[in-house]
């Protein structure tokens, strides 16, 4: 990694934050809901909330619309203690992401509104206004790479952060509906991976980057791990495998009674990075990420479900370490 992390590390998370609307009561289908509960959402918003729950200094680099939904997001960022100085408020017809979703594990409906998404309008000018010397790590979620001007701005941010000695972390976060084609995504992700110290993604996402099968994706992850990049290759219920020049190791998942499928990846990333910042070994940090993922899918909401350090420690103390 480019820099050693510590409890005093300052994190900047780049990407989308939005509003989540959960059908109430839990278990209800959206079309039968009598009410909705609100929460901070979006992968980057959730990761930032998870880091803040760990007491780490965290900021967000993104754009929101000048409307009620954009103001909701900014209010939530403040409530979680997330620095929003680099969240640009856009006039005009762009819109902050809105997700209408459900708290149920089977046939979960998740309707995401991202027409003319504000976060994809982040510009290189906005990035140039960030003093990356103030941050020890930049965490990028891959949706920010799906279109310009955000794509160019994100790659520039990764370049500047690395030049300033920050650890650059990429969550592939591939959403097919955001991209023109998987081939374009593969080409763009490869450029972003070259600028990254840590890359986290699932087997499907690495297959996309490899322009091939899951086997091709795993081979690519292993090859990347032979260099200076730490790769966390996630395999759903089969757990994850870490590839690095110090060797590889596997970690299973914690078995819990899940009530929804969303939020696991964001929780994993937040607690992985929090673990590294608080002195855990890479193996311990991955285990903490796996525990946080299990906790979040068994709780209501995503950002609100992110565990505190005390909650995470209690879970780890009371649950058997996952087997592979």
């Amino acid at each position: 990694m480019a820099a050693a992390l510590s409890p005093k590390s300052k994190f900047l998370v780049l990407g989308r934050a939005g509003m989540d609307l959960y059908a109430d009561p839990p278990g209800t289908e959206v079309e039968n809901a009598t009410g909705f509960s609100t929460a901070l959402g979006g992968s980057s918003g959730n990761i930032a909330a998870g880091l803040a729950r760990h007491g780490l200094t965290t900021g967000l680099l993104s754009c929101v619309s000048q409307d009620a939904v954009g103001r909701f997001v900014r209010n939530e960022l403040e409530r979680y203690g997330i620095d929003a100085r680099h969240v640009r408020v856009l006039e005009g017809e762009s819109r902050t992401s809105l997700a209408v979703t459900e708290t149920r594990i089977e046939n979960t409906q998740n309707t995401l509104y991202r027409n003319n998404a504000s976060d994809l309008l982040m510009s290189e000018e906005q990035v140039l206004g960030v003093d990356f010397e103030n941050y020890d790590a930049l965490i990028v979620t891959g949706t920010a790479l799906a279109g310009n001007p955000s794509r160019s701005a994100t790659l520039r941010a990764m370049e500047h952060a690395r030049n300033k000695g920050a650890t650059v972390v990429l969550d592939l976060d591939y959403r097919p509906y955001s991209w023109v084609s998987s081939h374009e995504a593969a080409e763009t992700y490869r450029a972003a991976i070259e600028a990254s110290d840590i890359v986290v993604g699932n087997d499907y996402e690495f297959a996309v980057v490899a322009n091939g099968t899951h086997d091709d994706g795993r081979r690519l992850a292993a090859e990347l791990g032979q260099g200076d990049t730490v790769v966390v290759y996630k395999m759903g219920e089969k757990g994850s495998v870490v590839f690095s020049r110090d060797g590889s190791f596997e970690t299973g998942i914690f078995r819990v009674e899940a009530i929804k499928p969303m939020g696991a990846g964001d929780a994993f990333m937040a607690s992985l990075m929090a673990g590294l910042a608080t002195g855990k070994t890479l193996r311990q940090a991955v285990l903490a990420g796996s525990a946080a993922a299990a906790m979040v899918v068994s709780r209501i909401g995503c950002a609100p479900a992110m565990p505190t350090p005390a909650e995470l420690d209690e879970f780890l103390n009371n649950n058997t370490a996952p087997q592979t």
Side-chain angles (χ1 to χ4, degrees), residues 66-244:
Q66 176 63 284
D67 56 22
V69 178
R71 288 191 291 274
F72 170 86
V73 169
R74 288 182 62 85
N75 288 344
E76 285 293 286
L77 294 175
E78 180 179 357
R79 191 170 68 83
Y80 280 97
I82 299 165
D83 186 354
R85 75 182 67 186
H86 296 304
V87 177
R88 186 178 178 186
V89 179
L90 301 179
E91 303 282 353
E93 296 303 315
S94 76
R95 291 292 178 261
T96 303
S97 291
L98 175 67
V100 182
T101 188
E102 302 165 337
T103 305
R104 60 194 189 109
I105 196 63
E106 293 184 1
N107 302 315
T108 312
Q109 299 180 104
N110 187 26
T111 305
L112 187 59
Y113 294 91
R114 283 184 56 75
N115 296 333
N116 196 19
S118 299
D119 55 278
L120 290 179
L121 297 180
M122 183 178 64
S123 66
E124 290 192 44
E125 178 186 7
Q126 182 180 350
V127 165
L128 292 174
V130 178
D131 189 350
F132 286 100
E133 288 183 347
N134 290 332
Y135 298 98
D136 301 287
L138 172 70
I139 300 175
V140 172
T141 55
T143 303
L145 297 164
N148 277 313
S150 178
R151 176 184 301 164
S152 296
T154 299
L155 292 172
R156 180 64 63 89
M158 298 173 80
E159 175 188 0
H160 280 299
R162 208 174 200 193
N163 287 342
K164 296 299 183 181
T167 298
V168 178
V169 185
L170 175 64
D171 186 335
L172 294 179
D173 190 36
Y174 176 62
R175 313 291 174 111
Y177 56 77
S178 296
W179 293 84
V180 172
S181 69
S182 61
H183 292 289
E184 179 185 78
E187 181 178 346
T188 304
Y189 276 127
R190 284 178 179 270
I193 288 170
E194 289 181 6
S196 302
D197 299 292
I198 302 174
V199 179
V200 179
N202 62 36
D203 44 11
Y204 171 61
E205 290 167 335
F206 273 102
V208 170
V209 178
N211 269 322
T213 65
H214 283 193
D215 288 341
D216 295 321
R218 180 160 179 151
R219 277 193 293 270
L220 173 62
E223 289 170 7
L224 292 170
Q226 292 175 3
D228 294 329
T229 307
V230 174
V231 178
V232 182
Y233 180 87
K234 299 186 293 186
M235 303 174 290
E237 292 188 353
K238 296 180 181 179
S240 63
V241 56
V242 171
F243 298 103
S244 77

Side-chain angles (χ1 to χ4, degrees), residues 34-51:
T34 55
F36 290 86
S37 61
T38 61
L40 175 66
S43 291
S44 296
N46 292 335
I47 292 169
L51 290 167

Side-chain angles (χ1 to χ4, degrees), residues 54 280 288 295 307-319:
H54 279 273
K280 286 181 168 63
M295 294 176 74
T308 64
E311 290 172 333
L312 188 57
D313 287 344
E314 181 180 5
F315 181 92
L316 287 166
N317 289 335
N318 294 329
N319 289 271

